[in-house]
Structures are given as structure tokens and as C-alpha cells.
Amino acid sequence: MTWAEQRFRRSARAPGQAAPRGGAGALGPRAPLLFGHRGVRGEGAPAENTLAAFEEAAAQGADGIELDVRVCGSGELVALHDPDLERVTHGADARVAAALRWDELRQVDLDGGRVPLVSEVLAFARGRRLAVNIEMKRDVPDRAAVVLATARLLRAWDPRHAVLVSSFDPVMLASFGVMAPAVPRALLVHRSRYHDTAVRLAPALGALAAHIERTIASPERIALLKRQGRVINVWTVNDPREARDLAALGVDGLITDVPRRLRDALA
């Protein structure tokens, strides 16, 4: 198991020994890694998937950040969840990201922030010692282009930096594994997609981790994945009681909009 893979697993800290607060590696027997979902989200938060949102996640004690990636019209890999800009600009701009060159996309105002290049996010995360979960989006004109751009960016990946690449699309995940076999991968599992086959698909894809939606994070499914040796990260968990219950089941990570709330709940 590589150093980076270890960073995604909880440490074998003795029961009752306090886990350090904040920063990658804040692990413990009841303390899963906390990933800021698109940084942070919610009323008063910076625009999602911006450097300001990732900065706020770090300030709230997140161990890592989760971001969505797609390719813009001139080929750059950018952090953006939706295919278009309508939601993140509150209806002010409905243009499709895949049709915009980077010099156009970077000018779009997101509540004072902007769409960042994924390379910028990775540089920020390395500086803050944050783990990174990159989700390759599947609602794109060319899925192969997203896989290729992500693989090219991580071709010179430093295993000292904990980076995990995930997708709902098993073909994209398998293709990325061929292009960048050293980078750990995770299969995203939605309640309506692959949840019955996740236990079989994850190892077949060479996936280190299974990222399962909170509504299907049953004790039985978690136990099956643990026996298989998968890293188990659950999304999107914002309720403190639910976070404590999942921690008690031994999940490795929680993807959350509110890192501080869960950090306090798990302290």
C-alpha cells in the first residue's frame, strides 16, 4: 500500500487516544477523514468549487477537499459541477462550460470568485497538506477528453500527496486506470446506480475505494466493503448524529458541506 493510499485510510490509533484536529492525517478510531464537498456549501459560504471555498474548508478543519472536473472549450481541466453556469451565477449566465474558452470562463463572476483550473486547486491543496478527491464528471460532450485531461494532469503525480480520482462511470474509471495506474481510484455509488453491484465492480475496476451515498450506507453494505478491503467514503453527510453513527461503523471518510460541524461532532 502506497503512502498516499494510507492517507485515505484511518490510522490504527489506540482507542481513547485523541485525534489531532484539522489537516490531512487527523485520523482516529472514531474519526473518519473529512472532505469538504466542493469546498464548503450553504448560506453565506463562498461559491462552490472555488479556491475561496477550498480555503474555507481548510479553515473549518477539513482533512481534504472534493471537487468536480470537466473540460472547457479550449481543453483546460476546470473545477465546475454543472455543465452550464446558470446555477452558480444565480441565473445571470447560462452558457455551457464546454463551449467556453478558458480566457472566457475565467472572467465569469462567482460571487467574487471564479472557476479555477484543477492545477491551481492541486497546488493549493499541496500547500495546505489537504487530501484531494477529484470527481470526473460524466455529463460532458466527450468523456474520453475528461479522462485524458485528468490523466495528463496527474501523470507527474507525487505519491506524497494524497489524491484520489473518482467517477460514477465505470468505463471512465477503468480508462483512467489504464492511463494513470499509480493514482488511486474510487467508484462513486448512487442509490439508483450500481449499488447492487458495487462490491463486485470496485475490485474489477482496480478501485481502492467505494464512495457510497449516505442513504445506502447500511451496516451490511459497509461490512461487505470492509471485508473486501475497500476504503469507504460516504457522501454527502451533514448531520452530526449520522456522522457519529457512520464513524462507529468504521467508514474511512465523510464528504460533507459543513466540515466544522462534523469536526466538532467527532472531536
Side-chain angles (χ1 to χ4, degrees), residues 167-183:
S167 180
F168 284 107
D169 190 316
V171 176
M172 293 178 73
L173 208 60
S175 299
F176 178 84
V178 171
M179 295 181 188
V183 181

Side-chain angles (χ1 to χ4, degrees), residues 26-39:
L27 305 171
R30 299 298 181 191
L33 283 170
L34 297 180
F35 288 85
H37 182 222
R38 309 181 203 169

Side-chain angles (χ1 to χ4, degrees), residues 28-157:
R30 299 298 181 191
L33 283 170
L34 297 180
F35 288 85
H37 182 222
R38 309 181 203 169
V40 293
R41 301 182 70 214
E43 186 175 355
E48 65 182 43
N49 277 322
T50 62
L51 290 177
F54 300 133
E55 179 76 54
E56 179 60 22
Q60 291 192 21
D63 301 290
I65 53 175
E66 183 269 353
L67 63 143
D68 310 279
V69 304
R70 57 181 67 246
V71 173
C72 68
S74 50
E76 289 83 359
L77 194 66
V78 299
L80 186 67
H81 181 274
D82 297 1
D84 60 54
L85 297 163
E86 185 170 14
R87 181 178 59 85
V88 291
T89 61
H90 311 291
D93 191 336
R95 290 179 295 174
V96 175
L100 295 175
R101 300 186 310 274
W102 169 237
D103 60 348
E104 297 173 300
L105 188 58
R106 70 187 305 175
Q107 301 302 320
V108 177
D109 178 39
L110 305 180
D111 295 329
R114 65 176 178 85
V115 176
L117 293 169
V118 177
S119 59
E120 295 175 317
V121 180
L122 288 174
F124 164 81
R126 279 194 299 270
R128 290 306 190 95
R129 293 183 56 79
L130 293 169
V132 179
N133 171 206
I134 294 173
E135 180 190 340
M136 298 185 296
K137 301 305 291 183
R138 64 191 305 275
D139 55 345
V140 295
D142 187 348
R143 297 180 190 181
V146 174
V147 172
L148 181 58
T150 307
R152 281 177 173 167
L153 181 63
L154 295 176
R155 190 164 291 162
W157 170 69

Side-chain angles (χ1 to χ4, degrees), residues 171-264:
V171 176
M172 293 178 73
L173 208 60
S175 299
F176 178 84
V178 171
M179 295 181 188
V183 181
R185 301 175 298 287
L187 176 66
L188 271 159
V189 185
H190 188 271
R191 62 182 178 272
S192 65
R193 183 178 292 274
Y194 307 128
H195 66 277
D196 291 327
T197 57
V199 175
R200 296 195 303 273
L201 267 178
L205 295 169
L208 168 75
H211 288 187
I212 57 178
E213 188 181 8
R214 47 173 289 278
T215 59
I216 57 171
S218 66
E220 295 78 15
R221 181 166 282 115
I222 289 170
L224 279 170
L225 290 166
K226 284 173 69 70
R227 286 198 296 271
Q228 190 188 82
R230 298 305 112 196
V231 169
I232 306 165
N233 297 325
V234 183
W235 57 278
T236 301
V237 181
N238 294 329
D239 179 76
R241 178 178 296 180
E242 186 174 35
R244 288 191 291 267
D245 289 345
L246 288 165
L249 292 173
V251 304
D252 298 283
L254 301 173
I255 299 171
T256 179
D257 297 325
V258 286
R260 179 176 289 119
R261 184 187 302 169
L262 296 200
R263 177 64 67 195
D264 292 343

